[in-house]
């Protein structure tokens, strides 16, 4: 419950005083400067106050004091304003730097683009000129052939002589002869060239492979006279061709 009274006395050096309560229902109430609202104007004798009674250590004093005669600015917003000012002062300032693009790299790119366009145009001209020249040469050759045919005129058909006809028939016969006959004749010829008469120097002793032969003649003897030999894989009548370079 709020009470109302006037400042009866105040000691500025010690910072305390007494309030005379209106109606004299209670004795004078002690107050301290710490309980006063913050402001530049000190407590004035006779000043009207509004307060509540606060008990501390068994004694009563005035608390939550409100000054009725003097308008006191609110104390709460003051630190807020100060913090805002401090923040505004502390806020860093940034300078904008206008970045200028370098001129030389851009100029170099432009020059490269122009050179590339010029080179491509020259290449196109060279290709077209080459194609035109090839077409011109082809047309000239066709004209020359046509002129030669016109100059020669009509050529009569020539019949083959009797000897020419026989030669042509013989060539056709040789070409049409079956390939198997040529192969068989070649095998017989090789057998005749490589045939070796049985000799007392060689005899069939169970050997069957080329790695067991000491000479080409011995391999031929075994192939022609001994059973179960394995020396002629392609069956052309020539044994151990790789071993004896045949």
């Amino acid at each position: 419950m709020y009470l109302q009274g006037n400042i009866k006395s105040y000691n500025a050096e010690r910072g305390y005083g007494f309030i005379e309560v209106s109606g004299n229902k209670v004795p004078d109430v002690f107050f301290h400067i710490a309980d006063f609202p913050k402001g530049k104007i000190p407590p004035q004798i006779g000043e009207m106050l509004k307060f509540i009674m606060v008990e501390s250590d068994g004694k009563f004093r005035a608390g939550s004091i409100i000054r009725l005669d003097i308008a006191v600015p609110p104390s709460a917003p003051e630190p807020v304003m100060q913090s805002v000012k401090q923040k505004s002062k502390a806020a860093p300032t940034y300078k904008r730097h206008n970045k200028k693009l370098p001129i030389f790299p851009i100029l170099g790119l432009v020059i490269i683009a122009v050179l590339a366009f010029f080179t491509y145009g020259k290449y196109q001209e060279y290709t077209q000129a080459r194609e035109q020249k090839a077409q011109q040469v082809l047309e000239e050759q066709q004209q020359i052939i046509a002129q030669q045919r016109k100059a020669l005129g009509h050529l009569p058909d020539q019949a083959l002589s009797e000897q020419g006809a026989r030669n042509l028939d013989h060539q056709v016969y040789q070409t049409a002869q079956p390939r198997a006959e040529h192969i068989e004749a070649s095998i017989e010829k090789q057998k005749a060239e490589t045939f070796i008469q049985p000799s007392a120097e060689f005899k069939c002793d169970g050997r069957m492979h080329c790695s067991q032969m000491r000479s080409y003649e011995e391999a031929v003897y075994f192939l022609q006279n001994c059973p179960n030999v394995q020396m002629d894989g392609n069956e052309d009548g020539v044994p151990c061709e790789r071993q004896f370079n045949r």
Side-chain angles (χ1 to χ4, degrees), residues 1-10 16-23 28-33 35-38 41-53 61-72:
M1 178 181 177
Y2 275 92
L3 299 176
Q4 190 171 336
N6 301 89
I7 297 177
K8 184 177 181 180
S9 62
Y10 175 66
Y16 69 89
F18 290 91
I19 302 172
E20 183 180 2
V21 181
S22 300
D28 297 341
V29 181
F30 173 84
F31 74 91
H32 195 272
I33 190 64
D35 297 323
F36 248 69
K38 293 181 180 180
I41 302 175
Q44 303 293 324
I45 295 176
E47 180 182 351
M48 182 68 69
L49 302 177
K50 189 176 181 180
F51 60 93
I52 59 175
M53 298 291 290
R61 62 180 179 83
S64 301
I65 300 173
I66 300 174
R67 306 181 77 171
L68 300 178
D69 293 342
I70 299 175
V72 180

Side-chain angles (χ1 to χ4, degrees), residues 146-159:
Q147 291 175 0
Q148 290 178 351
R149 288 180 177 177
K150 185 177 181 181
L152 292 174
H154 178 70
L155 296 177
D157 296 334
Q158 295 182 357

